[in-house]
Amino acid sequence: MSWNKGKKLKFLAKAPVIRVATVDAQGRPQVTPVCHVEFKGKVYWASDPDTAKLANIAHRRSVALVADTYKSSWHKMGGVMAQGKAKLIRRGPMFLKIRDLLYRKFRVYRSN
């Protein structure tokens, strides 16, 4: 069954964690779990500045992400995969907005 964009975004927004795939300068893929938020149809996450995924995105903006729910009975399973171009946001009003949304969804972020 095909989901519309709204249902996909709702599924992503509710997911506690997603996996993000990036590619390094040598073309090697890397998949990393991240805590994220959905805002105005886009997916955002925070990262320490010295991570491989940020270095990969700085080199090649192409990313893919996946969120899924697995049930051993195979009922009510679901998943979303998306591909796109990432943009690093290091400061400014959008940075502050996304940080606030992440703090609300993941309270431990504020103390870290």
Side-chain angles (χ1 to χ4, degrees), residues 16 34-36 46 48 99-112:
V34 298
C35 297
H36 68 291
D48 289 328
R99 185 182 68 180
D100 183 55
L101 292 171
L102 285 164
Y103 282 174
R104 279 193 245 158
K105 186 174 179 183
F106 304 101
R107 302 223 184 260
V108 70
Y109 269 18
R110 188 177 301 276
S111 64
N112 288 342

Side-chain angles (χ1 to χ4, degrees), residues 6 8 34 41 43 50-51 54 58 74 78 87 110:
K8 290 176 184 177
V34 298
V43 178
D50 60 346
T51 62
L54 288 189
W74 287 28
K87 178 181 177 183
R110 188 177 301 276

Side-chain angles (χ1 to χ4, degrees), residues 13-54:
K14 288 183 176 184
V17 67
I18 61 174
R19 278 87 181 154
V20 174
T22 59
V23 179
D24 71 14
Q26 289 75 41
R28 292 179 302 229
Q30 180 198 20
V31 179
T32 308
V34 298
C35 297
H36 68 291
V37 293
E38 181 273 329
F39 179 64
K40 294 188 176 183
K42 295 185 180 180
V43 178
Y44 299 87
W45 67 88
S47 184
D48 289 328
D50 60 346
T51 62
K53 68 181 162 290
L54 288 189

